Amino acid sequence: MQIFDSNRPPQDLIHDPRQIIIRQPDDWHVHLRDGAILTSVVPFTARQFARAIVMPNLDPPIISRTMAKAYRDRIVAAIPKDLEFTPLMTCFLTDVSDGEEIAQGFSEGIFAACKLYPSGATTNSNRGVTNIKNIYKVLDKMQTIGMPLLIHGEVVDKDVDVFDREAVFIDRILKKLVKDFPNLKIVLEHITTINSVEFVESSSDNVAATITPHHLTINRNAMFDGGIKPHYYCLPLAKREVHRLALRKAATSGSHKFFLGTDSAPHSVSSKESSCGCAGIFNAPCAMETYVQVFEEEGRLEALETFSSINGAKFYGLPLNIKSITLRKIDTLIPGNIKIDNQYYIPFNAGETINWSVV
Ligand code: DOR
Ligand code: ZN
């Protein structure tokens, strides 16, 4: 058994090939939902992550300090008593967001960041931003106070192919945004393309990206393999293999610009398996297991801790976690479904075996 020592460099933590111990990771992008399912969803995240950036796309979205505080209280009430977990709240940006309210929330420690959803881009985003110019005053304030902007980077223009939405967002919106706000901290969330990898790599240090377990392990074929597979449908969509390979290289590179964000986003079977199914992959039941397997397959286990437990915290200016977690090379059977409040939820890669476990 290895003893975790927070002063040791990460590569020293890996000398037993059947087990690794790393500083406890954080999830820098998760959907915990609300109401009855919140209580069941939170433990999946809290069993592995010390902190999580909680997405605000509820219905109605979290747009004020009062809403964020109340939501945080509901999340805290759902944390199992034997686990320590800190939810970090975000503010959903709208065309009429108030910079003063947001700045106040940031200084009071209620908001850790703001989330930009282009209106209509994804689940519960209708009240999102219709024109980036509408939030320029808010962005200016955020830049001044050092508050991170988290971006769902997809255009929704009807003339753009759905598989190109992310790349076009970079060209039409993000390049100018970065130029206009050179010091704004930006996280391009759940990146799916080589274009995003290259953009982030070539930008200044205040631009970073999160990468999900699913975008590291599936390409767009997964959605159509032998028939339509709605449980692999998420936004941004998984892309071609060349993009998946670029994401794997970026995540395992050791670069401080890429960090863990699961984008775990549960929807019930009935809302996924429908003539107009919801976007979202519920990967919290197997998130760390999937990441560690990817790093092992890439021969880069020594870079896992940097990606999962260091880069994000440093970007957000938060202390590193002191506790550790152990990942052991023992098979985990991912459940075929999970029953929550009389509804079924299908986790990512349901029914499959993954050859790592979180101890
Ligand atoms: O697939 C997704 N699901 N992408 C998002 O951006 C939102 C999320 C959700 O909330 O369901
Ligand atoms: Zn998300």
Side-chain angles (χ1 to χ4, degrees):
M1 192 65 169
Q2 301 165 68
I3 308 294
F4 178 72
D5 171 353
S6 59
N7 294 319
R8 266 192 306 178
Q11 61 271 24
D12 280 6
L13 300 176
I14 299 153
H15 39 76
D16 180 348
R18 289 155 305 153
Q19 148 170 321
I20 65 168
I21 299 176
I22 56 168
R23 200 182 289 275
Q24 192 173 9
D26 303 299
D27 184 350
W28 300 102
H29 183 131
V30 72
H31 300 266
L32 296 177
R33 306 306 193 207
D34 206 356
I37 104 156
L38 175 71
T39 315
S40 301
V41 164
V42 166
F44 286 106
T45 293
R47 90 190 155 93
Q48 51 197 319
F49 300 110
R51 296 170 287 201
I53 286 278
V54 181
M55 289 298 121
N57 62 329
L58 303 182
D59 183 16
I62 303 295
I63 54 170
S64 66
R65 282 177 288 165
T66 313
M67 292 174 92
K69 265 207 270 191
Y71 184 31
R72 186 170 63 188
D73 288 347
R74 295 194 293 279
I75 296 169
V76 168
I79 302 169
K81 295 288 166 270
D82 58 326
L83 297 175
E84 278 177 43
F85 174 70
T86 306
L88 303 169
M89 311 311 290
T90 56
C91 180
F92 182 104
L93 292 175
T94 72
D95 283 342
V96 292
S97 285
D98 173 3
E100 289 310 317
E101 166 78 5
I102 287 169
Q104 194 69 32
F106 186 61
S107 75
E108 290 170 4
I110 300 167
F111 293 131
C114 284
K115 178 70 190 276
L116 164 59
Y117 287 105
S119 175
T122 188
T123 309
N124 296 339
S125 64
N126 287 348
R127 288 181 63 188
V129 175
T130 58
N131 185 328
I132 192 75
K133 287 276 177 203
N134 293 340
I135 56 164
Y136 258 43
K137 262 175 85 175
V138 174
L139 298 182
D140 196 37
K141 184 89 198 168
M142 289 171 64
Q143 175 173 248
T144 307
I145 62 177
M147 184 178 192
L149 173 70
L150 317 182
I151 301 183
H152 183 111
E154 291 194 288
V155 295
V156 293
D157 310 44
K158 293 284 176 238
D159 64 311
V160 177
D161 188 280
V162 287
F163 289 98
D164 296 334
R165 284 178 165 192
E166 183 175 289
V168 174
F169 183 88
I170 293 174
D171 287 337
R172 289 190 189 169
I173 313 283
L174 194 53
K175 282 182 179 162
K176 178 153 167 46
L177 191 72
V178 166
K179 221 184 252 164
D180 290 347
F181 299 97
N183 297 316
L184 180 62
K185 282 187 174 188
I186 293 176
V187 183
L188 189 53
E189 299 288 340
H190 43 55
I191 59 168
T192 62
T193 58
I194 191 168
N195 313 58
S196 291
V197 169
E198 287 171 355
F199 178 80
V200 169
E201 277 171 343
S202 64
S203 298
S204 58
D205 267 356
N206 48 304
V207 178
T210 53
I211 307 183
T212 75
H214 43 281
H215 291 116
L216 291 170
T217 50
I218 59 166
N219 65 29
R220 64 191 197 170
N221 285 355
M223 277 183 295
F224 309 106
D225 189 10
I228 198 133
K229 297 280 172 64
H231 298 288
Y232 290 118
Y233 171 57
C234 63
L235 289 170
L237 293 161
K239 306 295 191 303
R240 288 176 184 275
E241 182 64 357
V242 62
H243 297 290
R244 186 181 75 95
L245 296 178
L247 296 175
R248 286 171 78 100
K249 199 162 164 234
T252 60
S253 65
S255 160
H256 62 279
K257 292 189 145 254
F258 301 101
F259 43 86
L260 187 158
T262 64
D263 198 17
S264 181
H267 290 277
S268 66
V269 169
S270 53
S271 47
K272 294 284 296 171
E273 299 177 11
S274 143
S275 59
C276 187
C278 295
I281 292 182
F282 182 29
N283 62 33
C286 59
M288 271 318 287
E289 292 87 343
T290 307
Y291 281 119
V292 65
Q293 187 158 301
V294 168
F295 277 71
E296 184 190 34
E297 285 163 3
E298 294 293 317
R300 291 285 296 153
L301 276 177
E302 68 273 22
L304 176 65
E305 188 183 52
T306 308
F307 174 79
S308 65
S309 321
I310 294 175
N311 292 348
K314 283 195 172 161
F315 185 88
Y316 277 84
L318 294 171
L320 302 184
N321 297 319
I322 297 298
K323 286 190 176 173
S324 64
I325 63 161
T326 302
L327 300 156
R328 206 168 282 162
K329 206 150 179 205
I330 305 171
D331 287 353
T332 297
L333 176 64
I334 303 166
N337 59 60
I338 293 167
K339 194 172 179 194
I340 301 175
D341 192 37
N342 278 329
Q343 296 257 29
Y344 285 96
Y345 291 78
I346 310 282
F348 183 52
N349 286 336
E352 290 185 18
T353 298
I354 199 158
N355 48 33
W356 285 87
S357 300
V358 175
V359 179

